[in-house]
Amino acid sequence: MADSKQIVFGTKCNKLMVYNVKSHKLDQIPSIKGHAADQQSGIYSLKINPSRTLLATGAYNSNEIAVYRLPLFDPIALAEGAHKKNVFDIEWLDDEFFVSGSRDSKLALWRVQDIYQEKYDSDGDLIQSITQFLNPVVIKTCKIAKHDRTITFNKNLKELVTMSRNGYVHVWDVERFKQRVSINMPHCQDNICMAKNNDCSLYAVGCPSYTLLLDPKNLHTMTKITAGYSGCGIRSLSFQDNIITIGLGIGVIMFYDIRAGKYLESSINSTKSVVLNASRGYVCPDEDLMEDQGFQQAKYTPAIYTHCYDYSGTRLFSAGGPLSNDLCGNYAGLWQ
């Protein structure tokens, strides 16, 4: 959430949207376009810097990063020239430096300064805003990686931790921007998401059928949390104090209590866990599947690709859509 009343999210059709939870107004933020040829495959990451003054996210081209000033979403910078394929994740190191990870298995370090200028004509009307075009400070290839899916910054250890879909977790020295070690997570292929808790003392990694809790100092597995649903895939993770929120590929959100070592139980029926079930959302099959009458009877639920709490921790935004490449659709929900 951008603030207490605005939710900002990106779509796979390359739209940057802002939803006002009070007025229920939905606006599209203009994308920043650079010098490269069009390459659009969706917006996969949105990250706000520590002082909550800048937002870094996918640009008009999916292999570039746009930076906006908050809260008005003024475009101030475009980071280009580092990646050949779409950017999967972005992570701020401080208020000026951020790192991007891409499908091309490269990491890029960027520096953005909040120097926003506007050009006016003689009548005082705005002609154009002047956007900075950023070159990468450094580009590194993540060895052994296959698609850098997610990036986590541990400020206590001064380390970046990246995760790739081939089952490896990679540790980087931030000060030297150098890959330190890569560790293979056994039986943990096709990883999608990773999160850390507030004091950087615990990592969570989402696997196809369970969540692993790792010790940041050595990346040893401390706990293995089964999802309770076979073959669903862990699609999103977040920490809220001692609770891990887990978004599944079948439209289900669950809550695991780290201290108690179990999922949160219903106050009505202690034998059942607290589960949020997403609505169907919107889904439109392609023409071939439309001809298949069996699709209409098939049970469909959207995957929870992302979720985020507001500042108070009392509201949860979740969003996603179809897992199948044959389907087009979307889902978004706000829970309180």
Side-chain angles (χ1 to χ4, degrees):
M1 290 187 173
D3 55 34
S4 60
K5 66 178 182 179
Q6 288 183 313
I7 299 172
V8 56
F9 58 92
T11 71
K12 203 168 182 179
C13 57
N14 261 75
K15 292 181 180 179
L16 182 62
M17 309 298 296
V18 178
Y19 177 71
N20 189 303
V21 298
K22 292 186 177 181
S23 67
H24 305 293
K25 186 179 180 181
L26 184 64
D27 295 312
Q28 182 176 349
I29 304 301
S31 297
I32 304 177
K33 187 174 183 180
H35 305 96
D38 291 359
Q39 180 179 322
Q40 295 184 302
S41 56
I43 295 175
Y44 292 87
S45 181
L46 300 93
K47 294 293 177 65
I48 298 175
N49 68 347
S51 65
R52 308 196 71 82
T53 57
L54 298 176
L55 167 72
T57 184
Y60 179 87
N61 286 323
S62 299
N63 57 341
E64 299 173 342
I65 303 102
V67 182
Y68 298 86
R69 182 195 285 127
L70 298 175
L72 299 179
F73 298 94
D74 297 320
I76 68 166
L78 179 70
E80 59 180 5
H83 300 296
K84 301 297 183 184
K85 297 182 179 180
N86 48 295
V87 173
F88 274 142
D89 203 8
I90 301 164
E91 180 78 340
W92 288 92
L93 305 181
D94 55 28
D95 280 337
E96 290 189 2
F97 289 91
F98 66 87
V99 176
S100 58
S102 168
R103 189 183 181 93
D104 60 13
S105 301
K106 294 183 184 296
L107 294 183
L109 175 66
W110 309 86
R111 184 185 184 189
V112 57
Q113 294 176 299
D114 190 1
I115 305 173
Y116 176 73
Q117 302 176 23
E118 293 179 341
K119 198 172 183 178
Y120 297 87
D121 61 19
S122 58
D123 296 326
D125 295 324
L126 177 66
I127 300 174
Q128 64 179 29
S129 60
I130 301 175
T131 303
Q132 302 176 65
F133 289 94
L134 306 178
N135 293 318
V137 177
V138 63
I139 306 172
K140 292 288 184 73
T141 298
C142 189
K143 300 175 183 177
I144 315 176
K146 182 181 179 182
H147 305 168
D148 286 312
R149 287 302 308 233
T150 185
I151 308 171
T152 299
F153 175 47
N154 189 320
K155 61 182 179 181
N156 295 340
L157 300 177
K158 297 181 179 179
E159 291 179 342
L160 273 178
V161 180
T162 67
M163 186 180 66
S164 51
R165 292 196 67 173
N166 58 346
Y168 279 86
V169 174
H170 315 273
V171 180
W172 291 72
D173 184 324
V174 169
E175 294 180 336
R176 296 187 297 165
F177 207 67
K178 183 177 181 180
Q179 189 170 352
R180 181 179 294 166
V181 65
S182 295
I183 298 176
N184 187 15
M185 308 298 292
H187 313 294
C188 197
Q189 298 293 317
D190 198 27
N191 304 326
I192 297 296
C193 52
M194 185 176 186
K196 69 176 185 302
N197 63 351
N198 293 335
D199 62 3
C200 301
S201 62
L202 194 63
Y203 296 148
V205 173
C207 302
S209 57
Y210 48 82
T211 301
L212 295 179
L213 300 186
L214 307 180
D215 183 342
K217 295 180 179 178
N218 50 32
L219 296 184
H220 289 171
T221 300
M222 301 172 63
T223 306
K224 181 178 178 180
I225 306 169
T226 57
Y229 298 87
S230 60
C232 60
I234 310 299
R235 299 290 162 172
S236 56
L237 290 168
S238 71
F239 283 90
Q240 184 70 13
D241 296 326
N242 295 305
I243 303 298
I244 304 176
T245 303
I246 304 172
L248 306 183
I250 54 171
V252 169
I253 303 172
M254 302 183 71
F255 306 88
Y256 186 85
D257 188 328
I258 299 173
R259 286 182 176 175
K262 60 182 179 180
Y263 285 102
L264 287 184
E265 296 174 346
S266 170
S267 58
I268 300 175
N269 187 344
S270 61
T271 63
K272 292 186 178 181
S273 300
V274 176
V275 174
L276 301 182
N277 292 290
S279 64
R280 180 183 177 88
Y282 167 78
V283 61
C284 177
D286 62 18
E287 293 181 0
D288 292 335
L289 285 178
M290 283 290 286
E291 295 175 0
D292 181 5
Q293 297 300 319
F295 174 79
Q296 301 300 328
Q297 283 74 41
K299 184 180 180 181
Y300 164 79
T301 53
I304 307 299
Y305 284 117
T306 186
H307 64 263
C308 179
Y309 287 89
D310 69 354
Y311 302 142
S312 67
T314 59
R315 290 185 298 179
L316 175 68
F317 172 73
S318 59
L323 277 176
S324 172
N325 291 329
D326 297 324
L327 300 178
C328 174
N330 57 69
Y331 158 80
L334 184 61
W335 308 82
Q336 186 162 347

